[in-house]
Structure formats: C-alpha cells, structure tokens
Amino acid sequence: MGTLQLEVVTPDKTVVSGEVEMAVCPGIEGEFGVLPKHVSLLSALKIGGLRYKVAGGKEEHVFISGGFADVNNDVLTVLAESAEMAQNIDTARAMAAKERAEKRISSHEEHVDSVRAEAALHRAVVRLQVAQFR
Ligand code: ATP
C-alpha cells in the first residue's frame, strides 16, 4: 500500500519524523485523512489530536495546538505552535492549566483576557483527551 513521510514540527523541536501508512489531521473544517498518493493540499488545523499509523505498528496520537498541514509528494508536514506525543503529555500540568484557566474565566474580572483564557482551557482539555491514547 505504500507509505508517506510525516513531519510534525514546532518552533523548538521535531515531534514526529517518519514513514506512516496514514494520518488523520484535525482540520479547521473537520478531520481529514491522508493516505499515500494524496493530492497536494494546504489546510489550517485547529487544536486537536492528530493520529497516525506506522506499518506493523499501533496507532499513535499527537496533541496539536493548531497550525498548518501541507501535503505534497507523499510528505505530510504539520507546523504547529506546540505539539506533544500522547505519552509525553504531562497530565498534572494540563490539569493545573485547566484549573487556572477556569478560575480566570469564572472570575469575570475586567483585566482577564477571556479569549486567551478560553484558548488555554481548550488546549488543556484536549491535551487531557489525547493523553488517554498513550
Ligand atoms: P501551560 O500553561 O501549562 O504552559 P500552555 O497551553 O500555555 O500550557 P503551550 O503554550 O501550548 O502551553 O506550550 C508551551 C510549551 O510547553 C510547548 O513546548 C508545549 O509542548 C509544552 N507543554 C505545554 N503543556 C504541556 C503538557 N501538559 N505536557 C507536556 N508538554 C506541555
């Protein structure tokens, strides 16, 4: 069936680099799958989980904080502000981030940037969801 190259890159590190049989990305308009020989594509991603399958291996899950996916010539490149493999997600940290964001949102104080707090809450909740696939 063939494979494609998956690269998940953030400003500080390469989180995934390898041959995969397929990947499913959290596109802003819904999930989309990428198989070998996929047509060229550029899509914005939302905060979500990306999953992929290595030949003969199990399915792996990666947290993506939003960004872009580019498919070209059997290379899927995902550029994200932050990304972590499910097994590398620090759940205590995500839980603390979730509580912090919830407090900020419920405080209704004027200086609170509610859009930013909602985004932080969303990242924390999705990290906790993706961490379940470790
Ligand atoms: P926090 O408030 O805990 O920093 P955040 O959502 O603001 O969470 P980000 O800005 O998305 O964090 O990421 C900053 C850096 O910290 C990135 O390198 C990201 O991979 C890492 N990171 C954030 N939260 C976690 C986590 N729960 N487990 C592992 N790495 C994390």
Side-chain angles (χ1 to χ4, degrees):
M1 199 184 114
T3 58
L4 66 151
Q5 179 75 17
L6 171 63
E7 301 284 334
V8 179
V9 180
T10 71
D12 22 86
K13 57 183 187 280
T14 296
V15 178
V16 181
S17 176
E19 300 274 319
V20 304
E21 283 187 339
M22 66 87 167
V24 180
C25 298
I28 46 164
E29 278 160 19
E31 288 196 324
F32 60 90
V34 183
L35 291 166
K37 312 270 181 274
H38 198 287
V39 292
S40 294
L41 164 96
L42 179 62
S43 173
L45 302 179
K46 62 181 178 187
I47 295 170
L50 176 152
R51 58 183 196 275
Y52 64 89
K53 200 170 177 312
V54 178
K58 67 175 173 73
E59 206 166 66
E60 301 282 357
H61 292 254
V62 190
F63 166 82
I64 302 289
S65 69
F68 291 93
D70 174 80
V71 182
N72 203 354
N73 278 331
D74 279 343
V75 182
L76 165 58
T77 308
V78 172
L79 303 174
E81 197 51 50
S82 60
E84 303 104 41
M85 295 288 297
Q87 50 272 30
N88 294 335
I89 293 173
D90 179 340
T91 52
R93 175 173 169 176
M95 241 126 59
K98 178 171 175 281
E99 275 173 27
R100 240 181 0 255
E102 282 168 344
K103 272 197 194 128
R104 267 185 268 142
I105 292 162
S106 64
S107 76
H108 299 296
E109 286 170 28
E110 242 174 61
H111 65 88
V112 170
D113 180 342
S114 59
V115 172
R116 196 171 153 191
E118 292 284 358
L121 175 60
H122 192 36
R123 285 195 300 277
V125 167
V126 175
R127 277 190 171 106
L128 292 170
Q129 286 167 355
V130 173
Q132 292 178 341
F133 295 103
R134 56 178 74 221

